[in-house]
Amino acid sequence: MLISVRDLKKDYREGEVVTNVLKGLSFDIHKGEFVSIMGPSGSGKSTLMHILSFLDKPTSGQYFFEDKEIGSLTDDQLAEMRSKKVGFIFQSFNLLNRANVLENVMLPMVYSGVSTAERILRAKNLLGEVGLDHRMYYNPANLSGGEKQRVAIARALVNNPEVIFADEPTGNLDSKSGYQVMKLLQELNEKGNTIILVTHEKYTAEHAERIINVKDGLIINDAKVAERQFAQSENQELRK
């Protein structure tokens, strides 16, 4: 089992006011799954993603990653887990404009003890895989939104993570670029990558195999997608 969550709760306190954000969630995610966590704004889905990706700790309950109980880890150990076990794709891309595309993709490896030659080789190979080897020396400011997100996907993959977290990855993209990104995520999943997609959009969520639907800090449904969406190509054609 890759991820196992039992009665997970998260509270935030401001003075005397306590806000219960997650109210006891339990689920499992197997290696190689493509899972969407879907819910409206304020549902708790982003807080859940932060805990699953080692950016935050639960108030109570248990979170096991590869059979390791995460709640007992120190901040330094959590940081090490983040750098080695997960890759992130964000709605706002989070690219550095002071660095070129190749340097942006190489960045996560700087803290992983990878040699410069190996960093360059991995980054170039991944940029080729996402169809951007001809843009590797461009500044991110000169890329389209879809190209920026493909750079972010390449960056998420450089440390061979166990799981890729995609937080509203099509939120800032037009429909054509969004299809390209979802197609790429589905292709990565077919190669064996575990992907957890966080979104508020049902249509985007249906590109996964399974949807965990969260509302008011609770799971209201957890089921396989009945009619899965498949992003086919750049021409905006889809099949079910």
Side-chain angles (χ1 to χ4, degrees):
M1 188 69 64
L2 182 65
I3 287 172
S4 185
V5 168
R6 293 293 177 268
D7 197 28
L8 199 72
K9 297 180 181 179
K10 181 64 179 181
D11 302 333
Y12 290 104
R13 180 183 296 272
E14 287 189 23
E16 298 298 317
V17 179
V18 177
T19 303
N20 309 121
V21 180
L22 300 179
K23 303 173 183 177
L25 281 61
S26 298
F27 59 88
D28 298 319
I29 295 176
H30 293 84
K31 185 176 175 63
E33 274 198 275
F34 189 162
V35 178
S36 287
I37 298 174
M38 187 181 79
S41 178
S43 62
K45 64 183 186 298
S46 294
T47 299
L48 177 58
M49 187 197 76
H50 289 160
I51 292 172
L52 295 180
S53 59
F54 318 118
L55 290 166
D56 200 357
K57 291 182 179 181
T59 302
S60 64
Q62 293 180 303
Y63 169 29
F64 295 91
F65 187 93
E66 295 180 326
D67 298 322
K68 181 181 293 185
E69 213 286 296
I70 300 304
S72 62
L73 299 184
T74 66
D75 289 343
D76 286 344
Q77 289 172 323
L78 287 174
E80 184 177 6
M81 293 285 283
R82 280 197 302 275
S83 67
K84 293 183 177 180
K85 297 295 185 179
V86 302
F88 294 96
I89 304 166
F90 300 97
Q91 178 178 350
S92 56
F93 319 125
N94 288 13
L95 301 178
L96 299 177
N97 283 328
R98 64 176 181 272
N100 65 31
V101 164
L102 183 65
E103 291 166 338
N104 267 278
V105 176
M106 290 167 56
L107 187 61
M109 294 183 285
V110 172
Y111 309 104
S112 300
V114 180
S115 70
T116 301
E118 177 66 15
R119 293 202 299 264
I120 293 171
L121 180 62
R122 278 196 212 174
K124 285 184 174 180
N125 287 341
L126 283 166
L127 284 169
E129 286 187 26
V130 300
L132 286 177
D133 45 343
H134 62 300
R135 295 279 196 262
M136 67 175 67
Y137 299 115
Y138 276 49
N139 186 284
N142 296 323
L143 302 181
S144 69
E147 287 173 332
K148 288 177 182 178
Q149 197 58 293
R150 281 188 280 158
V151 173
I153 291 171
R155 181 185 59 191
L157 292 168
V158 290
N159 280 330
N160 301 311
E162 290 297 327
V163 58
I164 298 167
F165 288 92
D167 187 9
E168 302 280 8
T170 63
N172 284 339
L173 304 178
D174 59 35
S175 58
K176 179 179 178 180
S177 297
Y179 293 154
Q180 292 172 338
V181 167
M182 295 312 301
K183 180 175 185 290
L184 186 53
L185 290 177
Q186 288 180 328
E187 289 172 348
L188 290 171
N189 178 242
E190 288 169 5
K191 292 177 182 177
N193 289 280
T194 305
I195 297 175
I196 298 177
L197 170 71
V198 177
T199 183
H200 67 280
E201 296 177 340
K202 183 174 183 288
Y203 175 75
T204 301
E206 288 175 342
H207 285 78
E209 303 166 307
R210 168 186 166 201
I211 298 175
I212 299 173
N213 204 319
V214 180
K215 184 178 181 182
D216 297 329
L218 295 167
I219 294 174
I220 59 173
N221 193 47
D222 180 355
K224 292 284 187 180
V225 177
E227 296 185 41
R228 189 181 181 192
Q229 302 289 345
F230 289 90
Q232 286 194 110
S233 63
E234 300 179 6
N235 62 9
Q236 303 186 23
E237 291 294 322
L238 294 168
R239 62 181 171 85
K240 291 187 175 182

